[in-house]
Structures are given as C-alpha cells and as structure tokens.
C-alpha cells in the first residue's frame, strides 16, 4: 500500500497543508519517464519517514490538478516542493534521488523537534510566527505580498516600515519585554494608518490576523490597538484618507477588547470570503483605535487563504530527458 497521499482536489491539498507540519509534494505526470523512474525512491522515503500530522508525502498529477501546479509555478516534471506550516520552503527539480533524499531527510530532522506549544514563538528554523492557529483548511499566504509595492501612509518614521508588519519573526515585544523600537509600526500625526498591499498572484483571502502589543501603561502617550478597519480590494494604488471616505469599503471590521489574545496580542479578522475571491491587492484603512489616544500601533499582519495563479502554466516538459527522446 502506498504511503503517499494522492491529491484529488485543491481543498484536500489545502487541508493537508494546514494539518501537517511538513508536506512533501511530488508533481508528476503519467507520460513523464523521469517521474516513473524516481517514483520507487519517493515511495521508499514516504514509507520510512511519514508521520501523522508531522510529515505527509503527497503525489499531484499535474494534468488532473492544473490549478495546484499553476499556483506553485510548476512547469516541468518531476518537481518536488517541501512545505512547512503551509509555506513552500524548498524545491527539488528533476529525477535526482540523492538530492531528493537529502532534502527530505533534512526536514525529517526538523520534524523531530518539538513545536512551540502556545503559538507565540518562532518554532523551528525557518518557521513563520503566527499569533493564533491558522483557520482550517486554509494556509498562511502572507508571503504572497509584493514587498516593492507596499505603501504605508501616516507612519511615524521613528518606528518600523510597512515591511515590518510582514516580518516572519516573533514580535520583539513578546521577548520578555525586550522590545525593539523598529519592530512595529506606529501612526504619526493622528491614530489613522493606510496600508496598501499588492500581491504576487491572485488570492482567495479567508481571514487576517492583526497583532498589536502596546505596553500595559496608563500613560497618555501609549499607542492604541486598532478598533475599526476598512478593507478595499484590487486597487491599483494606496488610497488617500479623503479618497477612502468617498469609496465604499468591501468590508468594515470592528474589533472588540475580547477579540485580542491575552498572550500574543493578536486578533482574528474573519472576512466575507465570497467578497475576497480574486484579490490582487488589499488596502487596510485603520480608522481608529480602542481608546482616546492619538497614536495607533500594529506589530504584525498575517494573511490566510489560498494562493492562486502566478503565471500561465505554459507547455509542460520533462526534466531529465535529452532532446528528441
């Protein structure tokens, strides 16, 4: 009996990415000679190293699951992609048993390390910090943002930039009070922030996580956590504050005090999924805060959903065959 899971739908694959810490995906085709040649070695690794909810080996037929192949830019077979906590971390292209074995055995060593129990740490090497459990069956797709296109209006230049919000590390404010001033964003002249986030591919956005960790202090200068957030989709540029007043938001969210996790300072923002199906950019307008202060603070933002098409799949080709074979 095969130890690998044959993927029959995008939903099945998304669910596995959420449930299993590591997922190894073998993108293959029935007509691909090198795919057939390396299949026994792949099955042997799957048989030896599969562990429930820790390491899952999958096989994805690119002719039957073209949407998945497109989402991860697979244009040649065989291609092996290794995922950690829903995010692709390494790729092996071609029928190279040694290279594949080395990559998989390295992740097996990582899988033997314990997970961070409360979700408020960085976990194993290369892991991305999230402040709350990912919504099943969706994956963390924060890495789909385009860094060069980020814009953040009304930020205080003494603190972090827009990129700080998507930093994969745990917020320094959670490191026993040893916070670094450049590790979060604060508003400048008033409590409002306007964030423009373009994406590398078309996304289905299910929800967000917003982390805000102002110090527990009664000082009037302590920044506030966000309260009202207006969201806009598929804008070509950042909105001006006056412009946002004239454009209906796709969704307006009001966060309550009980929405914030007491350990990680993270609030889950559930979206109307049907309205966020083909998203190429997001604008987040932080309208006000949860108090009477004059400044707003945001430490991290995480995005959850499904990554869509990055480019046209093009002509599928085999890796490992000489021309004319």
């Amino acid at each position: 009996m095969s130890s690998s899971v044959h993927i029959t739908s995008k939903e099945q694959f998304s669910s596995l990415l959420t449930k299993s810490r590591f997922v190894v995906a073998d993108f293959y085709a029935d007509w691909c000679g090198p795919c057939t040649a390396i299949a026994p070695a792949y099955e042997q690794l799957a048989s030896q190293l599969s562990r429930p909810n820790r390491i899952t080996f999958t096989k994805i037929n690119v002719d039957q699951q073209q949407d998945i192949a497109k989402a991860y830019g697979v244009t040649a077979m065989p291609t092996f992609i290794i995922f950690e906590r829903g995010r692709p971390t390494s790729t092996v292209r071609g029928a190279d048993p040694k290279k594949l074995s080395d990559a998989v055995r390295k992740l097996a060593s990582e899988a033997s390390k314990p997970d961070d129990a409360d979700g408020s740490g960085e976990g194993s090497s290369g892991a991305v910090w999230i402040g709350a459990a990912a919504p099943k069956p969706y994956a963390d797709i924060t890495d789909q943002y385009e860094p060069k296109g980020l814009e953040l209006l009304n930020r205080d230049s003494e603190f972090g930039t827009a990129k700080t919000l998507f930093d994969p590390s745990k917020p320094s404010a959670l490191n026993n009070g040893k916070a670094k001033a450049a590790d979060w964003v604060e508003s400048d002249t008033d409590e409002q922030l306007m964030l423009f986030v373009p994406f590398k591919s078309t996304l289905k956005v299910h929800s967000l996580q917003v982390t805000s960790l102002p110090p527990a202090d009664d000082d009037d200068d302590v920044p506030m956590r966000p309260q009202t957030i207006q969201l806009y989709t598929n804008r070509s540029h950042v909105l001006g504050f006056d412009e946002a007043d004239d454009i209906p938001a796709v969704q307006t969210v009001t966060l309550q005090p009980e929405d914030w996790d007491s350990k990680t300072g993270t609030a889950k923002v559930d979206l109307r999924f049907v309205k966020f199906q083909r998203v190429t950019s997001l604008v987040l307008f932080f309208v006000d805060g949860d108090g009477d202060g004059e400044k707003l603070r945001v430490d991290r933002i995480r995005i959850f959903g499904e990554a869509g098409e990055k480019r046209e799949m093009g002509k599928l080709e085999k890796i490992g065959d000489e021309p004319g074979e």
Side-chain angles (χ1 to χ4, degrees):
M1 181 178 178
S2 174
S3 298
S4 57
V5 179
H6 285 257
I7 300 301
T8 59
S9 69
K10 290 172 60 178
E11 292 73 21
Q12 179 194 14
F13 189 56
S14 294
S15 178
L16 283 176
L17 290 177
T18 301
K19 293 177 181 177
S20 184
R21 178 176 171 184
F22 292 97
V23 172
V24 185
D26 172 10
F27 290 87
Y28 75 99
D30 291 334
W31 44 261
C32 167
C35 299
T36 302
I38 200 172
Y42 183 77
E43 285 299 330
Q44 184 177 15
L45 289 169
S47 177
Q48 293 174 348
L49 301 176
S50 291
R51 295 171 57 189
N53 298 325
R54 303 289 287 183
I55 306 179
T56 302
F57 288 77
T58 65
K59 291 185 72 69
I60 302 174
N61 187 314
V62 297
D63 291 320
Q64 297 173 4
Q65 305 298 327
Q66 291 197 14
D67 286 347
I68 301 177
K70 287 180 181 179
Y72 297 103
V74 175
T75 59
M77 279 65 64
T79 292
F80 303 90
I81 301 180
I82 295 173
F83 297 81
E84 181 175 0
R85 293 187 175 92
R87 299 164 64 95
T89 58
S90 62
T91 301
V92 176
R93 294 183 175 87
D96 188 330
K98 184 180 185 305
K99 187 181 294 186
L100 176 63
S101 178
D102 289 347
V104 171
R105 293 186 185 281
K106 180 179 179 181
L107 79 85
S109 176
E110 290 291 331
S112 66
K113 300 177 182 179
D115 287 324
D116 189 352
D118 65 2
S120 60
E122 293 178 74
S124 62
S125 175
V128 174
W129 181 88
I130 59 174
K136 297 181 180 180
Y138 302 100
D140 178 3
I141 54 173
T142 309
D143 62 350
Q144 294 298 311
Y145 83 94
E146 176 52 65
K148 293 181 180 179
L150 287 176
E151 293 189 63
L152 181 61
L153 303 185
N154 195 40
R155 74 173 182 89
D156 188 330
S157 60
E158 293 185 6
F159 297 90
T161 67
K163 288 181 66 175
T164 304
L165 299 172
F166 303 100
D167 191 300
S169 66
K170 179 173 70 174
S172 63
L174 293 174
N175 293 331
N176 299 318
K178 299 178 181 179
K180 301 176 182 178
D183 194 42
W184 66 85
V185 163
E186 285 193 20
S187 61
D188 190 9
T189 58
D190 58 25
E191 76 277 17
Q192 295 188 332
L193 288 167
M194 187 75 73
L195 174 65
F196 174 67
V197 189
F199 297 114
K200 301 173 185 176
S201 58
T202 303
L203 307 181
K204 294 182 179 180
V205 183
H206 172 271
S207 56
L208 308 175
Q209 290 182 11
V210 177
T211 300
S212 179
L213 295 159
D217 197 323
D218 293 332
D219 194 316
D220 291 340
D221 292 333
V222 171
M224 301 176 291
R225 282 175 166 163
Q227 178 171 274
T228 306
I229 306 173
Q230 294 180 357
L231 295 104
Y232 306 82
T233 60
N234 300 340
R235 312 303 301 185
S236 61
H237 60 277
V238 68
L239 297 178
F241 292 100
D242 291 339
E243 187 179 5
D245 290 337
D246 297 329
I247 300 174
V250 175
Q251 184 172 342
T252 299
V253 176
T254 302
L255 297 173
Q256 303 298 329
E258 59 269 22
D259 293 329
W260 297 95
D261 184 275
S262 60
K263 291 184 178 180
T264 67
T266 298
K268 300 177 183 178
V269 180
D270 292 325
L271 303 180
R272 298 190 189 102
F273 197 30
V274 68
K275 293 183 176 291
F276 294 83
Q277 289 294 298
R278 293 188 59 81
V279 179
T280 57
S281 70
L282 276 178
V283 173
L284 281 72
F285 178 18
F286 295 90
V287 180
D288 55 28
D290 61 356
D292 298 323
E294 297 181 354
K295 290 201 169 190
L296 199 72
R297 169 169 169 165
V298 183
D299 291 61
R300 295 289 187 272
I301 293 174
R302 298 291 183 257
I303 305 168
F304 296 88
E306 297 179 5
E309 183 176 352
K310 292 182 180 179
R311 53 176 173 155
E312 290 297 323
M313 194 170 187
K315 181 181 178 181
L316 297 175
E317 59 189 48
K318 294 179 283 185
I319 296 177
D321 283 356
E322 293 295 326
E325 289 189 358

